[in-house]
Amino acid sequence: MDLDNCNLRYLPTRNYQFPTSLIAAIKIRFSYLDHPKIRLVSDTCNPASYFKLENTRDPAERYSNFYCSVEVLIPDRVVLPTTSINAIGENVTTVRSGPMDDDTRNFGLEFGANEFRMTGKNLVARIENVSAKHIKYDVTSGSLLATDVTFTPFATFNSFDADMTVTTDKATTVHYWQKSDNLACLSAGTAYIDSACTTQCGFVTSKYGASASDTESKLATDFRFLDRYYRRYFDKSLNGQEAANATVVALTSPPAGVTRRLLQTCAQVPEVPGCIDYTSCSLLQTPKCLCKSSCDLVPPAELDFDGYSGIRGTCDDEGKCCRLVCGGHSRADLFPHPGTVRCGLCVPQDACSPPTCGAWTAGNLEQEWWLTSKTGQISVSVAADLGGRSSPEQHYYRGEPTQPITPSFDSDQKVLTVAGLRQKLPQMK
């Protein structure tokens, strides 16, 4: 199916009235705006059925008063054929299936030995309780939340900026590569990580090619490069020149006798943690603080030096810009139960027993998934259902062990947890 700004839902036939409740085959229903330039192209005479919603209205009014709804009605215990959903429009197309809604309790998708493919420009998918020989999610933008994915031996999840979250209760080998900043979160009962990332630090070179010695003697380059977020001036004149005529580049230390200040008041400038002297509203003259303007505060897409670009940088105490550079996919073996050995066949069978031991080897578990994204975050959780509750024991973020943060509430403050950061908020009166 090629869909343009459509909302697609998978629904069980058992919730419909007679005769729909008794059908034994898959039924697809379309509802869309009645317009001469909007039509449904279909081919159901071949074994591989095809549907395309074609919207040829003028770009200025293409989605004005537009609607498109698709319902795929599934009888119980029916194995679905290979299905491809392609989002062809600029606006978002959504896919939703699973037991999360009142009219779909205990519902799931079973593709058996077939594939389930979701591709296109902008696709938001929320699926639960699904199994297939191969699941493919390959989009530019959107988001994916796939929970309770089981009996799926192979899966590929790719995006440019879409966040992707997948959960399962089966042992899974995960190959992941988040290219901008290794923004990958892994949780499991037992986790083994083989990281392909290393931290590389270096001084950010001037875009204008001036050396430090040239700068200190001539001060002849555009001072806007010093810090794109702050405008500064000199308290003292340099070589008899007026401050307005003096220009500098970002250095690890300023010329002797020069103190930089902010033209704006402290309340008018963006916060730079640990680098603002609020008594004088000036930038602290440490190598780390002077580095931030050309590293921490630069968008990853614009940070390009030492042969790498598109990776977020963080300054160290020496004033170097450090980035986590990944040379390809990292590998993780994730098990749902705590204390599981990585190579089940390598341990004598009388030394331990299932589920912590079994017929598997490292990198060759029950499921093997590949997740790749340029800027979107990747999250994978492998946890066993322990009497109605899941309890992963090990958590990794950006390749490092971490601990989950549990929000707590008391009488005078609230705790907001966002992306692993804890922030205290005043209570609303």
Side-chain angles (χ1 to χ4, degrees):
M1 283 185 283
D2 290 336
L3 303 179
D4 187 353
N5 193 208
C6 294
N7 298 317
L8 183 148
R9 289 190 68 199
Y10 284 90
L11 298 166
T13 58
R14 63 174 180 266
N15 292 335
Y16 285 81
Q17 296 180 352
F18 176 86
T20 301
S21 60
L22 299 181
I23 64 174
I26 299 172
K27 181 178 182 179
I28 303 178
R29 305 198 302 186
F30 286 85
S31 174
Y32 53 91
L33 179 65
D34 185 10
H35 192 279
K37 293 187 177 182
I38 300 176
R39 63 173 187 155
L40 179 64
V41 180
S42 63
D43 180 5
T44 57
C45 296
N46 295 315
S49 299
Y50 172 75
F51 301 92
K52 179 179 181 180
L53 188 77
E54 206 170 67
N55 185 352
T56 58
R57 300 168 76 189
D58 294 336
E61 61 174 15
R62 177 164 297 168
Y63 300 108
S64 177
N65 298 319
F66 176 82
Y67 67 90
C68 171
S69 177
V70 184
E71 293 182 348
V72 183
L73 308 184
I74 311 294
D76 289 335
R77 297 181 298 277
V78 167
V79 177
L80 279 75
T82 294
T83 302
S84 178
I85 301 171
N86 184 36
I88 58 176
E90 298 296 335
N91 279 18
V92 63
T93 290
T94 66
V95 176
R96 187 174 182 88
S97 175
M100 72 287 289
D101 299 316
D102 291 338
D103 58 349
T104 58
R105 297 302 182 193
N106 303 314
F107 177 66
L109 299 180
E110 184 178 350
F111 288 87
N114 302 314
E115 296 183 83
F116 184 31
R117 298 189 290 261
M118 295 170 285
T119 59
K121 294 181 179 180
N122 194 346
L123 192 149
V124 173
R126 170 66 171 97
I127 58 176
E128 183 178 352
N129 189 19
V130 58
S131 63
K133 178 182 179 181
H134 175 216
I135 295 178
K136 180 178 181 179
Y137 179 79
D138 192 352
V139 304
T140 302
S141 302
S143 66
L144 170 68
L145 177 57
T147 56
D148 195 16
V149 179
T150 58
F151 303 107
T152 302
F154 188 67
T156 52
F157 305 98
N158 303 294
S159 77
F160 183 83
D161 58 17
D163 294 336
M164 300 180 293
T165 301
V166 190
T167 72
T168 183
D169 61 358
K170 306 298 180 184
T172 305
T173 295
V174 176
H175 306 267
Y176 65 95
W177 188 8
Q178 205 285 335
K179 298 182 180 181
S180 65
D181 196 24
N182 197 28
L183 298 175
C185 180
L186 307 177
S187 300
T190 305
Y192 299 94
I193 311 295
D194 296 328
S195 178
C197 304
T198 58
T199 300
Q200 299 188 17
C201 301
F203 292 106
V204 181
T205 56
S206 170
K207 293 183 179 180
Y208 304 95
S211 66
S213 60
D214 291 337
T215 303
E216 291 181 10
S217 61
K218 299 179 182 179
L219 298 173
T221 52
D222 188 352
F223 95 88
R224 290 173 296 180
F225 180 67
L226 173 65
D227 192 331
R228 67 191 66 202
Y229 295 97
Y230 300 102
R231 297 178 58 203
R232 299 184 174 87
Y233 72 101
F234 289 109
D235 289 335
K236 298 181 179 181
S237 298
L238 302 176
N239 299 326
Q241 298 178 357
E242 295 295 331
N245 297 326
T247 53
V248 296
V249 297
L251 305 173
T252 56
S253 59
V258 175
T259 302
R260 290 195 289 269
R261 290 183 180 273
L262 300 175
L263 284 179
Q264 300 97 327
T265 62
C266 295
Q268 296 174 330
V269 298
E271 181 72 17
V272 180
C275 288
I276 300 296
D277 183 353
Y278 290 98
T279 60
S280 59
C281 284
S282 61
L283 180 70
L284 298 180
Q285 305 298 301
T286 63
K288 183 175 183 178
C289 289
L290 296 175
C291 161
K292 287 189 175 184
S293 61
S294 56
C295 180
D296 294 53
L297 300 179
V298 178
E302 300 179 18
L303 188 58
D304 185 359
F305 71 98
D306 287 350
Y308 299 100
S309 63
I311 304 174
R312 187 177 68 89
T314 304
C315 294
D316 63 9
D317 292 337
E318 297 180 359
K320 295 181 179 180
C321 185
C322 299
R323 294 175 296 177
L324 194 63
V325 179
C326 299
H329 287 83
S330 300
R331 190 183 77 181
D333 286 335
L334 306 179
F335 298 88
H337 297 278
T340 304
V341 298
R342 188 170 196 180
C343 179
L345 291 178
C346 302
V347 179
Q349 297 303 300
D350 57 354
C352 65
S353 59
T356 57
C357 286
W360 63 75
T361 57
N364 188 26
L365 302 184
E366 186 174 346
Q367 301 179 131
E368 185 173 11
W369 297 348
W370 294 76
L371 296 96
T372 310
S373 183
K374 177 65 176 179
T375 61
Q377 181 163 301
I378 293 171
S379 179
V380 179
S381 177
V382 178
D385 187 357
L386 305 176
R389 61 183 180 86
S390 298
S391 180
E393 298 289 331
Q394 297 181 354
H395 307 269
Y396 288 82
Y397 181 65
R398 299 183 67 200
E400 299 294 333
T402 186
Q403 293 296 326
I405 298 176
T406 302
S408 62
F409 303 91
D410 54 38
S411 59
D412 61 349
Q413 67 184 22
K414 291 184 178 181
V415 178
L416 174 65
T417 303
V418 179
L421 302 178
R422 173 172 289 181
Q423 178 182 2
K424 294 181 179 180
L425 302 178
Q427 187 180 29
M428 298 296 292
K429 300 298 185 181

